Amino acid sequence: SYVVTHQRAADLWSVYLNIDIGSEQVAACMMLLKIARDEQGIYNEDDGLDCTGYSALWASLTSLDSDEIEAAKLASNINRKDQ
């Protein structure tokens, strides 16, 4: 599911960057990646559509309750180096 996928990315980014990243931040950063590409003048006809999709995912991820977030964290099955 997109919830588990974004949580898995958040877990990986958190380990790599050594800071806590939330799944909703992953979606927000992916939107910014698409915007950055556009600002460089690198045309990709899917960027606008992708950014819209990440925006919808961000909205959904920010509305999860704590139980759904914890379930996604368990399902992502990533061992954090600080645990």
Side-chain angles (χ1 to χ4, degrees), residues 10-79:
D11 292 343
L12 289 167
W13 292 8
S14 293
V15 171
Y16 183 78
L17 297 170
N18 199 29
I19 59 171
D20 286 332
I21 302 288
S23 58
E24 72 284 355
Q25 291 173 302
V26 171
C29 287
M30 293 304 294
M31 286 187 291
L32 292 172
L33 176 69
K34 298 300 179 174
I35 292 166
R37 178 185 276 176
D38 180 66
E39 287 181 347
Q40 289 181 354
I42 302 170
Y43 177 73
N44 181 339
E45 63 186 46
D46 290 338
D47 282 343
L49 182 60
D50 291 346
C51 193
T52 301
Y54 284 120
S55 177
L57 292 173
W58 171 84
S60 180
L61 291 165
T62 58
S63 68
L64 296 176
D65 65 34
S66 60
D67 290 338
E68 292 170 310
I69 293 168
E70 287 306 310
K73 287 180 179 181
L74 288 173
S76 73
N77 197 28
I78 297 294
N79 293 321

